[in-house]
């Protein structure tokens, strides 16, 4: 008699190229905008391309980042369609959780964009377009990275909605990529604003001396 083997369900199909294409797209986007934004900050490459109009250059980068985001989402959904489903992830309770995560993710992303504006959201600091004050209201009073955390929630919600373990794996990759990006972005952005404050303090000191 042949030995009994419990039925197994393949969680992730590593033979699907779409899985790795999606993972590459997820990693590429923050790498792209960080490299381009730093080149802009140091060398003004985009501002020069737009004839010295930094705001127009920032809007062009915003459009590019937004378009790359749409492509990333398309590749992610395509990758999920190529992956096996898992029965436990097809329960109604999981679907409710999925919708909740997607809703939370969208609220975080949209509200942070509303609070920061287009230039504040899409790296305007690197173009010299600085905000007057640090935004501390919703959603920044809940999380210091609502765009990234909201996006991660949406990725996870979509994975659960499709019932795909591969989506959970890709969501973990999203989280890792965003955490690495934050380690580079946060100190750099903080230094941009610290530099402005030093320049303001120096200018105020100079004006005080002139007035004496």
């Amino acid at each position: 008699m042949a030995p009994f083997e419990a039925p197994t369900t393949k969680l992730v199909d590593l033979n699907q190229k779409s899985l790795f294409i999606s993972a590459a797209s997820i990693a590429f986007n923050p790498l792209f905008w960080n490299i381009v934004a730093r080149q802009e900050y140091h060398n003004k490459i985009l501002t020069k391309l737009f004839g010295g109009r930094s705001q127009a250059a920032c809007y062009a980068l915003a459009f590019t980042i937004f378009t790359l985001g749409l492509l990333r989402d398309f590749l992610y959904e395509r990758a999920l369609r190529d992956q096996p489903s898992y029965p436990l992830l097809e329960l109604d309770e999981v679907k409710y959780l999925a919708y909740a995560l997607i809703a939370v993710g969208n609220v975080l992303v949209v509200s942070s964009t509303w609070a920061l504006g287009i230039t504040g959201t899409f790296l305007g600091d690197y173009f010299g377009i600085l905000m007057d004050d640090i935004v501390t209201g919703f959603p920044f009073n809940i999380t210091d990275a609502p765009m990234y955390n909201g996006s991660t929630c949406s990725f996870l919600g979509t994975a659960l909605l499709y019932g795909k373990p591969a989506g959970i794996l890709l969501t973990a990759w999203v989280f890792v990529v965003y955490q690495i990006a934050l380690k580079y972005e946060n100190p750099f952005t903080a230094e941009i604003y610290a530099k402005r404050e030093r320049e303001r303090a120096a200018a105020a000191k100079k004006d005080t001396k002139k007035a004496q």
Side-chain angles (χ1 to χ4, degrees):
M1 180 181 293
F4 172 77
E5 292 184 3
T8 59
T9 301
K10 193 172 188 179
L11 296 179
V12 179
D13 186 356
L14 296 177
N15 293 319
Q16 295 294 334
K17 291 182 180 179
S18 57
L19 178 71
F20 298 98
I21 292 173
S22 176
S25 175
I26 288 167
F28 172 79
N29 285 13
L31 181 64
F32 166 79
W33 69 60
N34 272 288
I35 290 175
V36 172
R38 291 203 182 199
Q39 283 298 311
E40 167 62 26
Y41 180 78
H42 291 296
N43 302 312
K44 301 298 179 186
I45 57 170
L46 293 180
T47 296
K48 290 175 183 177
L49 284 175
F50 282 83
R53 295 173 295 173
S54 58
Q55 189 152 5
C58 182
Y59 274 99
L61 179 60
F63 176 78
T64 303
I65 292 173
F66 182 77
T67 303
L68 286 172
L70 293 178
L71 176 61
R72 175 205 61 197
D73 293 345
F74 168 77
L75 293 173
Y76 176 65
E77 184 177 4
R78 182 178 177 182
L80 294 187
R81 292 183 183 277
D82 291 339
Q83 290 293 318
S85 300
Y86 190 66
L88 287 178
L89 296 181
E90 296 179 331
L91 297 174
D92 288 341
E93 292 80 0
V94 175
K95 301 302 180 188
Y96 299 148
L97 176 60
Y99 285 121
L101 284 168
I102 292 171
V104 169
N106 285 332
V107 167
L108 288 175
V109 170
V110 172
S111 61
S112 61
T113 303
W114 179 267
L116 295 174
I118 298 299
T119 55
T121 300
F122 293 99
L123 305 167
D125 327 84
Y126 293 72
F127 292 80
I129 307 171
L130 305 186
M131 302 191 70
D132 294 331
D133 299 298
I134 297 175
V135 178
T136 56
F138 183 82
F140 293 91
N141 56 354
I142 295 177
T143 170
D144 61 349
M147 291 290 292
Y148 285 165
N149 290 333
S151 178
T152 303
C153 285
S154 294
F155 270 95
L156 180 57
T158 303
L160 296 180
L161 189 62
Y162 279 77
K164 308 286 187 172
I168 298 175
L169 179 64
L170 285 172
T171 299
W173 176 235
V174 168
F175 178 79
V176 169
V177 168
Y178 283 166
Q179 290 304 306
I180 294 173
L182 285 171
K183 288 186 180 298
Y184 283 92
E185 292 173 12
N186 284 348
F188 197 86
T189 303
E191 176 55 27
I192 291 174
Y193 282 90
K195 181 181 178 183
R196 181 183 69 174
E197 294 307 311
R198 290 194 298 269
E199 290 173 348
R200 283 179 173 178
K205 186 176 181 180
K206 186 176 181 180
D207 290 341
T208 301
K209 287 184 178 180
K210 285 183 178 180
Q212 291 176 348

